[in-house]
Amino acid sequence: MSISFLTPSHSLHLSNLRPDAHYTQNQRPMSILRRINHRNISLSAALRQDTTIWTQSPITTIQQAADSLFHIKINVSDSPDLISTHTRPGQYLQFRLPDTDKPSFLAIASPPLITSSIGVFEFLVKSVPGSTAQLVCQLKEGDFVELSHVMGKGFDIDKIQPAEHFPTVLIFATGSGVSPIRSLIESGFGADKRSDVRLYYGARNLQRMAYQDKFNDWESTGVKIVPVLSQPDDRWKGEQGYVQHAFARVLQRFNPLSTGAVLCGQRQMTEEVTSLLLANGVSEEKILKNF
């Protein structure tokens, strides 16, 4: 990509205007401003051109994880510079198809250890009609995609360490927002050393809830899974409604001074849960988000 800058010969100065030119009182300043603005806009557009470095990598696995959700693995073993940028759970990157200009932002589902040890990125991708993500979900194993370097600070777990000082950690996720939560849980943050670690995971129904095959493994690390369904069938006996409503029913069950929280998912959920936490004494610094 090249960026063209204006050279002095292309610059516009009032001294360059011909003294014998005939302008009306209104034409002279407006004409000058139009020309100046046109050149400034052109320069700004050039500076805003995409400078992202893209790495082509093949899909090794693509499977349906739930209704409208797909589990995708990307082989990045030939890209050590890309691998080195994944250092924390909760980070994300840009994801696009070759020869297209419309990327999607995707949270990384796999923990950094997997990335560094076997050179694989894993994603939980929601197929949204008309989006790049939908096109990606229609690809096959062996097809190539393009990845940017990893972005974001991720979850700053140091803020709720050591484990004995924060025995309660409340985790909230909805839909594909459970993707970076998986990275967090499987990276390990001392859940087995804490007395109360809960994941409130919201979905419309069980068919839209990904990673159910991992729930037992997660619970074995000390994380209690609390599924919350907004549109369950008659057989469902667990929590119903939205995540924030399920949490509001148990507010009295934790000590805010020794509590941390991690949130990822639908905006209304994160805003309402954050408000509940703050209103009940949890420090804003201890409410972790991945942006």
Tab-separated table of all heavy atoms in Angstrom, residues 64-112:
chain	number	residue	atom	x	y	z
A	64	GLN	N	-20.244	-27.336	13.484
A	64	GLN	CA	-21.340	-26.613	14.121
A	64	GLN	C	-21.303	-26.899	15.615
A	64	GLN	O	-21.298	-28.051	16.053
A	64	GLN	CB	-22.678	-27.018	13.537
A	64	GLN	CG	-23.825	-26.149	14.027
A	64	GLN	CD	-25.036	-26.204	13.115
A	64	GLN	OE1	-25.073	-26.966	12.164
A	64	GLN	NE2	-26.029	-25.372	13.405
A	65	ALA	N	-21.257	-25.830	16.420
A	65	ALA	CA	-21.169	-25.970	17.874
A	65	ALA	C	-22.535	-25.828	18.534
A	65	ALA	O	-22.742	-26.329	19.647
A	65	ALA	CB	-20.216	-24.921	18.442
A	66	ALA	N	-23.441	-25.125	17.884
A	66	ALA	CA	-24.813	-24.914	18.354
A	66	ALA	C	-25.552	-24.234	17.214
A	66	ALA	O	-24.958	-23.950	16.168
A	66	ALA	CB	-24.831	-24.054	19.617
A	67	ASP	N	-26.840	-23.994	17.378
A	67	ASP	CA	-27.584	-23.292	16.335
A	67	ASP	C	-26.920	-21.942	16.054
A	67	ASP	O	-26.753	-21.126	16.972
A	67	ASP	CB	-29.037	-23.072	16.768
A	67	ASP	CG	-29.869	-24.343	16.684
A	67	ASP	OD1	-29.347	-25.367	16.199
A	67	ASP	OD2	-31.037	-24.307	17.121
A	68	SER	N	-26.532	-21.725	14.790
A	68	SER	CA	-25.921	-20.474	14.320
A	68	SER	C	-24.516	-20.233	14.857
A	68	SER	O	-23.944	-19.170	14.625
A	68	SER	CB	-26.800	-19.256	14.663
A	68	SER	OG	-28.079	-19.400	14.096
A	69	LEU	N	-23.936	-21.184	15.583
A	69	LEU	CA	-22.588	-21.034	16.118
A	69	LEU	C	-21.681	-22.125	15.575
A	69	LEU	O	-22.062	-23.304	15.555
A	69	LEU	CB	-22.595	-21.088	17.649
A	69	LEU	CG	-23.289	-19.941	18.379
A	69	LEU	CD1	-23.364	-20.239	19.867
A	69	LEU	CD2	-22.554	-18.627	18.141
A	70	PHE	N	-20.474	-21.733	15.146
A	70	PHE	CA	-19.533	-22.677	14.557
A	70	PHE	C	-18.189	-22.612	15.268
A	70	PHE	O	-17.685	-21.528	15.581
A	70	PHE	CB	-19.351	-22.378	13.067
A	70	PHE	CG	-20.560	-22.707	12.237
A	70	PHE	CD1	-21.635	-21.833	12.178
A	70	PHE	CD2	-20.636	-23.908	11.530
A	70	PHE	CE1	-22.761	-22.138	11.432
A	70	PHE	CE2	-21.758	-24.214	10.782
A	70	PHE	CZ	-22.830	-23.328	10.724
A	71	HIS	N	-17.642	-23.794	15.531
A	71	HIS	CA	-16.323	-23.911	16.135
A	71	HIS	C	-15.297	-24.035	15.006
A	71	HIS	O	-15.390	-24.936	14.169
A	71	HIS	CB	-16.264	-25.147	17.036
A	71	HIS	CG	-14.936	-25.363	17.672
A	71	HIS	ND1	-14.346	-24.439	18.503
A	71	HIS	CD2	-14.067	-26.401	17.595
A	71	HIS	CE1	-13.172	-24.899	18.916
A	71	HIS	NE2	-12.983	-26.083	18.378
A	72	ILE	N	-14.335	-23.112	14.979
A	72	ILE	CA	-13.370	-23.062	13.878
A	72	ILE	C	-11.950	-23.052	14.436
A	72	ILE	O	-11.644	-22.297	15.369
A	72	ILE	CB	-13.598	-21.813	12.995
A	72	ILE	CG1	-14.977	-21.888	12.334
A	72	ILE	CG2	-12.506	-21.677	11.939
A	72	ILE	CD1	-15.327	-20.676	11.493
A	73	LYS	N	-11.091	-23.889	13.865
A	73	LYS	CA	-9.674	-23.906	14.216
A	73	LYS	C	-8.855	-23.434	13.015
A	73	LYS	O	-9.105	-23.860	11.884
A	73	LYS	CB	-9.221	-25.307	14.610
A	73	LYS	CG	-9.826	-25.831	15.901
A	73	LYS	CD	-9.254	-27.212	16.234
A	73	LYS	CE	-9.847	-27.770	17.522
A	73	LYS	NZ	-9.279	-29.102	17.867
A	74	ILE	N	-7.878	-22.576	13.287
A	74	ILE	CA	-7.009	-22.030	12.247
A	74	ILE	C	-5.564	-22.390	12.579
A	74	ILE	O	-5.096	-22.158	13.703
A	74	ILE	CB	-7.122	-20.492	12.158
A	74	ILE	CG1	-8.587	-20.065	12.035
A	74	ILE	CG2	-6.292	-19.964	10.998
A	74	ILE	CD1	-9.257	-20.454	10.762
A	75	ASN	N	-4.855	-22.949	11.604
A	75	ASN	CA	-3.442	-23.319	11.794
A	75	ASN	C	-2.556	-22.093	11.564
A	75	ASN	O	-2.488	-21.567	10.456
A	75	ASN	CB	-3.066	-24.433	10.824
A	75	ASN	CG	-1.638	-24.906	11.000
A	75	ASN	OD1	-0.882	-24.364	11.799
A	75	ASN	ND2	-1.265	-25.932	10.254
A	76	VAL	N	-1.882	-21.636	12.627
A	76	VAL	CA	-0.977	-20.484	12.514
A	76	VAL	C	0.455	-20.881	12.884
A	76	VAL	O	1.270	-20.034	13.239
A	76	VAL	CB	-1.451	-19.314	13.402
A	76	VAL	CG1	-2.750	-18.734	12.867
A	76	VAL	CG2	-1.614	-19.756	14.861
A	77	SER	N	0.758	-22.173	12.783
A	77	SER	CA	2.073	-22.666	13.212
A	77	SER	C	3.223	-22.078	12.398
A	77	SER	O	4.360	-22.049	12.869
A	77	SER	CB	2.118	-24.201	13.138
A	77	SER	OG	1.839	-24.652	11.814
A	78	ASP	N	2.936	-21.599	11.184
A	78	ASP	CA	3.981	-20.995	10.350
A	78	ASP	C	4.119	-19.493	10.575
A	78	ASP	O	4.839	-18.825	9.832
A	78	ASP	CB	3.690	-21.258	8.860
A	78	ASP	CG	3.839	-22.725	8.487
A	78	ASP	OD1	4.594	-23.437	9.178
A	78	ASP	OD2	3.187	-23.161	7.521
A	79	SER	N	3.438	-18.984	11.586
A	79	SER	CA	3.430	-17.535	11.811
A	79	SER	C	3.797	-17.208	13.259
A	79	SER	O	2.944	-16.805	14.060
A	79	SER	CB	2.051	-16.965	11.473
A	79	SER	OG	1.649	-17.324	10.173
A	80	PRO	N	5.069	-17.380	13.625
A	80	PRO	CA	5.472	-17.140	15.022
A	80	PRO	C	5.235	-15.716	15.493
A	80	PRO	O	4.945	-15.493	16.669
A	80	PRO	CB	6.966	-17.492	15.023
A	80	PRO	CG	7.393	-17.406	13.582
A	80	PRO	CD	6.201	-17.828	12.789
A	81	ASP	N	5.348	-14.740	14.581
A	81	ASP	CA	5.088	-13.351	14.990
A	81	ASP	C	3.639	-13.156	15.385
A	81	ASP	O	3.331	-12.408	16.327
A	81	ASP	CB	5.447	-12.390	13.849
A	81	ASP	CG	6.944	-12.292	13.629
A	81	ASP	OD1	7.693	-12.725	14.518
A	81	ASP	OD2	7.351	-11.799	12.557
A	82	LEU	N	2.742	-13.821	14.680
A	82	LEU	CA	1.319	-13.742	15.014
A	82	LEU	C	1.046	-14.457	16.333
A	82	LEU	O	0.332	-13.943	17.202
A	82	LEU	CB	0.492	-14.354	13.888
A	82	LEU	CG	-1.020	-14.452	14.096
A	82	LEU	CD1	-1.623	-13.086	14.384
A	82	LEU	CD2	-1.688	-15.081	12.878
A	83	ILE	N	1.616	-15.625	16.504
A	83	ILE	CA	1.428	-16.400	17.732
A	83	ILE	C	1.869	-15.598	18.955
A	83	ILE	O	1.211	-15.602	19.997
A	83	ILE	CB	2.208	-17.727	17.651
A	83	ILE	CG1	1.563	-18.656	16.614
A	83	ILE	CG2	2.267	-18.410	19.012
A	83	ILE	CD1	2.363	-19.913	16.334
A	84	SER	N	2.967	-14.890	18.818
A	84	SER	CA	3.542	-14.172	19.963
A	84	SER	C	2.665	-13.028	20.458
A	84	SER	O	2.851	-12.546	21.576
A	84	SER	CB	4.932	-13.632	19.608
A	84	SER	OG	4.842	-12.608	18.625
A	85	THR	N	1.708	-12.598	19.643
A	85	THR	CA	0.839	-11.482	20.062
A	85	THR	C	-0.336	-11.951	20.919
A	85	THR	O	-1.063	-11.117	21.463
A	85	THR	CB	0.314	-10.694	18.846
A	85	THR	OG1	-0.474	-11.566	18.014
A	85	THR	CG2	1.460	-10.126	18.021
A	86	HIS	N	-0.529	-13.256	21.024
A	86	HIS	CA	-1.615	-13.781	21.864
A	86	HIS	C	-1.035	-14.102	23.232
A	86	HIS	O	-0.359	-15.113	23.413
A	86	HIS	CB	-2.215	-15.040	21.230
A	86	HIS	CG	-3.420	-15.547	21.955
A	86	HIS	ND1	-3.810	-16.866	21.903
A	86	HIS	CD2	-4.335	-14.921	22.745
A	86	HIS	CE1	-4.909	-17.021	22.632
A	86	HIS	NE2	-5.235	-15.858	23.151
A	87	THR	N	-1.324	-13.250	24.207
A	87	THR	CA	-0.718	-13.392	25.527
A	87	THR	C	-1.715	-13.499	26.663
A	87	THR	O	-1.340	-13.906	27.761
A	87	THR	CB	0.209	-12.191	25.807
A	87	THR	OG1	-0.556	-10.975	25.724
A	87	THR	CG2	1.351	-12.136	24.806
A	88	ARG	N	-2.988	-13.142	26.410
A	88	ARG	CA	-3.982	-13.128	27.484
A	88	ARG	C	-5.339	-13.611	27.005
A	88	ARG	O	-5.728	-13.323	25.874
A	88	ARG	CB	-4.182	-11.704	28.013
A	88	ARG	CG	-3.327	-11.313	29.192
A	88	ARG	CD	-3.751	-9.933	29.648
A	88	ARG	NE	-2.998	-9.468	30.781
A	88	ARG	CZ	-3.130	-8.279	31.326
A	88	ARG	NH1	-4.009	-7.428	30.826
A	88	ARG	NH2	-2.414	-7.923	32.354
A	89	PRO	N	-6.098	-14.306	27.868
A	89	PRO	CA	-7.499	-14.590	27.551
A	89	PRO	C	-8.272	-13.278	27.393
A	89	PRO	O	-8.001	-12.297	28.084
A	89	PRO	CB	-7.989	-15.359	28.785
A	89	PRO	CG	-6.763	-15.855	29.456
A	89	PRO	CD	-5.691	-14.869	29.169
A	90	GLY	N	-9.218	-13.275	26.476
A	90	GLY	CA	-10.028	-12.084	26.253
A	90	GLY	C	-9.550	-11.222	25.109
A	90	GLY	O	-10.195	-10.228	24.774
A	91	GLN	N	-8.437	-11.602	24.469
A	91	GLN	CA	-7.981	-10.846	23.315
A	91	GLN	C	-8.756	-11.263	22.064
A	91	GLN	O	-9.463	-12.268	22.050
A	91	GLN	CB	-6.477	-11.062	23.101
A	91	GLN	CG	-5.609	-10.423	24.174
A	91	GLN	CD	-4.130	-10.658	23.925
A	91	GLN	OE1	-3.660	-11.787	23.923
A	91	GLN	NE2	-3.392	-9.571	23.718
A	92	TYR	N	-8.609	-10.485	21.006
A	92	TYR	CA	-9.352	-10.723	19.781
A	92	TYR	C	-8.480	-10.329	18.594
A	92	TYR	O	-7.369	-9.811	18.743
A	92	TYR	CB	-10.657	-9.921	19.777
A	92	TYR	CG	-10.445	-8.436	19.961
A	92	TYR	CD1	-10.308	-7.582	18.867
A	92	TYR	CD2	-10.369	-7.873	21.234
A	92	TYR	CE1	-10.107	-6.220	19.034
A	92	TYR	CE2	-10.160	-6.514	21.418
A	92	TYR	CZ	-10.033	-5.697	20.317
A	92	TYR	OH	-9.819	-4.358	20.491
A	93	LEU	N	-8.979	-10.579	17.392
A	93	LEU	CA	-8.282	-10.158	16.182
A	93	LEU	C	-9.287	-9.902	15.067
A	93	LEU	O	-10.473	-10.152	15.208
A	93	LEU	CB	-7.224	-11.188	15.752
A	93	LEU	CG	-7.585	-12.682	15.672
A	93	LEU	CD1	-8.586	-12.981	14.583
A	93	LEU	CD2	-6.318	-13.516	15.466
A	94	GLN	N	-8.771	-9.362	13.958
A	94	GLN	CA	-9.595	-9.189	12.759
A	94	GLN	C	-9.437	-10.419	11.873
A	94	GLN	O	-8.366	-11.017	11.797
A	94	GLN	CB	-9.169	-7.944	11.991
A	94	GLN	CG	-9.474	-6.654	12.697
A	94	GLN	CD	-9.141	-5.460	11.835
A	94	GLN	OE1	-9.915	-5.061	10.962
A	94	GLN	NE2	-7.975	-4.862	12.063
A	95	PHE	N	-10.503	-10.731	11.174
A	95	PHE	CA	-10.631	-11.990	10.471
A	95	PHE	C	-11.328	-11.675	9.149
A	95	PHE	O	-12.387	-11.052	9.148
A	95	PHE	CB	-11.531	-12.866	11.354
A	95	PHE	CG	-11.586	-14.328	11.051
A	95	PHE	CD1	-11.036	-15.229	11.927
A	95	PHE	CD2	-12.239	-14.818	9.926
A	95	PHE	CE1	-11.135	-16.598	11.715
A	95	PHE	CE2	-12.334	-16.161	9.689
A	95	PHE	CZ	-11.773	-17.059	10.589
A	96	ARG	N	-10.727	-12.029	8.031
A	96	ARG	CA	-11.394	-11.744	6.762
A	96	ARG	C	-11.043	-12.808	5.733
A	96	ARG	O	-10.140	-13.626	5.932
A	96	ARG	CB	-11.008	-10.364	6.236
A	96	ARG	CG	-9.592	-10.268	5.683
A	96	ARG	CD	-9.298	-8.884	5.132
A	96	ARG	NE	-7.999	-8.854	4.467
A	96	ARG	CZ	-7.456	-7.767	3.928
A	96	ARG	NH1	-8.091	-6.605	3.995
A	96	ARG	NH2	-6.271	-7.824	3.335
A	97	LEU	N	-11.757	-12.787	4.628
A	97	LEU	CA	-11.487	-13.695	3.520
A	97	LEU	C	-10.514	-13.030	2.564
A	97	LEU	O	-10.507	-11.806	2.419
A	97	LEU	CB	-12.788	-14.031	2.794
A	97	LEU	CG	-13.877	-14.686	3.642
A	97	LEU	CD1	-15.111	-14.944	2.797
A	97	LEU	CD2	-13.389	-15.974	4.253
A	98	PRO	N	-9.660	-13.813	1.888
A	98	PRO	CA	-8.743	-13.215	0.915
A	98	PRO	C	-9.500	-12.419	-0.145
A	98	PRO	O	-10.607	-12.782	-0.550
A	98	PRO	CB	-8.050	-14.438	0.307
A	98	PRO	CG	-8.126	-15.488	1.370
A	98	PRO	CD	-9.456	-15.260	2.035
A	99	ASP	N	-8.901	-11.324	-0.554
A	99	ASP	CA	-9.457	-10.463	-1.617
A	99	ASP	C	-10.749	-9.769	-1.216
A	99	ASP	O	-11.548	-9.378	-2.073
A	99	ASP	CB	-9.683	-11.270	-2.913
A	99	ASP	CG	-8.399	-11.921	-3.402
A	99	ASP	OD1	-7.332	-11.281	-3.308
A	99	ASP	OD2	-8.468	-13.064	-3.868
A	100	THR	N	-10.994	-9.650	0.080
A	100	THR	CA	-12.145	-8.873	0.535
A	100	THR	C	-11.655	-7.772	1.475
A	100	THR	O	-10.577	-7.873	2.048
A	100	THR	CB	-13.170	-9.744	1.287
A	100	THR	OG1	-12.561	-10.237	2.499
A	100	THR	CG2	-13.641	-10.906	0.437
A	101	ASP	N	-12.448	-6.739	1.627
A	101	ASP	CA	-12.049	-5.602	2.453
A	101	ASP	C	-12.897	-5.450	3.708
A	101	ASP	O	-12.769	-4.460	4.416
A	101	ASP	CB	-12.149	-4.300	1.639
A	101	ASP	CG	-11.191	-4.291	0.461
A	101	ASP	OD1	-10.070	-4.804	0.623
A	101	ASP	OD2	-11.572	-3.782	-0.607
A	102	LYS	N	-13.748	-6.430	3.985
A	102	LYS	CA	-14.679	-6.293	5.106
A	102	LYS	C	-14.363	-7.332	6.179
A	102	LYS	O	-14.853	-8.455	6.136
A	102	LYS	CB	-16.119	-6.461	4.607
A	102	LYS	CG	-17.180	-6.144	5.662
A	102	LYS	CD	-18.566	-6.296	5.072
A	102	LYS	CE	-19.637	-5.983	6.116
A	102	LYS	NZ	-21.001	-6.179	5.563
A	103	PRO	N	-13.539	-6.967	7.176
A	103	PRO	CA	-13.190	-7.941	8.212
A	103	PRO	C	-14.236	-8.023	9.312
A	103	PRO	O	-15.083	-7.142	9.464
A	103	PRO	CB	-11.878	-7.388	8.760
A	103	PRO	CG	-12.007	-5.913	8.589
A	103	PRO	CD	-12.819	-5.706	7.331
A	104	SER	N	-14.155	-9.101	10.088
A	104	SER	CA	-14.936	-9.239	11.319
A	104	SER	C	-13.964	-9.255	12.489
A	104	SER	O	-12.819	-9.677	12.356
A	104	SER	CB	-15.734	-10.547	11.316
A	104	SER	OG	-16.821	-10.487	10.434
A	105	PHE	N	-14.431	-8.782	13.637
A	105	PHE	CA	-13.643	-8.878	14.859
A	105	PHE	C	-14.113	-10.110	15.620
A	105	PHE	O	-15.303	-10.263	15.884
A	105	PHE	CB	-13.827	-7.623	15.715
A	105	PHE	CG	-13.114	-6.418	15.174
A	105	PHE	CD1	-13.730	-5.599	14.237
A	105	PHE	CD2	-11.836	-6.106	15.582
A	105	PHE	CE1	-13.087	-4.480	13.732
A	105	PHE	CE2	-11.175	-4.995	15.081
A	105	PHE	CZ	-11.792	-4.177	14.151
A	106	LEU	N	-13.177	-11.001	15.970
A	106	LEU	CA	-13.527	-12.237	16.643
A	106	LEU	C	-12.673	-12.424	17.890
A	106	LEU	O	-11.443	-12.267	17.845
A	106	LEU	CB	-13.336	-13.437	15.713
A	106	LEU	CG	-14.224	-13.504	14.471
A	106	LEU	CD1	-13.833	-14.708	13.628
A	106	LEU	CD2	-15.691	-13.598	14.864
A	107	ALA	N	-13.315	-12.771	18.995
A	107	ALA	CA	-12.589	-13.107	20.218
A	107	ALA	C	-11.974	-14.488	20.058
A	107	ALA	O	-12.547	-15.383	19.430
A	107	ALA	CB	-13.532	-13.084	21.404
A	108	ILE	N	-10.804	-14.666	20.631
A	108	ILE	CA	-10.099	-15.952	20.548
A	108	ILE	C	-10.611	-16.868	21.660
A	108	ILE	O	-10.605	-16.495	22.838
A	108	ILE	CB	-8.583	-15.751	20.668
A	108	ILE	CG1	-8.101	-14.810	19.557
A	108	ILE	CG2	-7.851	-17.089	20.592
A	108	ILE	CD1	-6.677	-14.340	19.733
A	109	ALA	N	-11.054	-18.057	21.284
A	109	ALA	CA	-11.640	-18.984	22.248
A	109	ALA	C	-10.597	-19.858	22.924
A	109	ALA	O	-10.796	-20.296	24.062
A	109	ALA	CB	-12.674	-19.872	21.556
A	110	SER	N	-9.505	-20.126	22.251
A	110	SER	CA	-8.477	-21.000	22.814
A	110	SER	C	-7.574	-20.215	23.753
A	110	SER	O	-7.336	-19.024	23.555
A	110	SER	CB	-7.657	-21.636	21.697
A	110	SER	OG	-7.244	-20.659	20.759
A	111	PRO	N	-7.040	-20.868	24.792
A	111	PRO	CA	-6.107	-20.178	25.691
A	111	PRO	C	-4.771	-19.942	25.004
A	111	PRO	O	-4.406	-20.663	24.067
A	111	PRO	CB	-5.975	-21.152	26.867
A	111	PRO	CG	-6.340	-22.485	26.311
A	111	PRO	CD	-7.348	-22.224	25.240
A	112	PRO	N	-4.016	-18.937	25.436
A	112	PRO	CA	-2.709	-18.655	24.821
A	112	PRO	C	-1.780	-19.861	24.805
A	112	PRO	O	-0.960	-20.007	23.886
A	112	PRO	CB	-2.147	-17.530	25.694
A	112	PRO	CG	-3.353	-16.831	26.221
A	112	PRO	CD	-4.369	-17.910	26.442
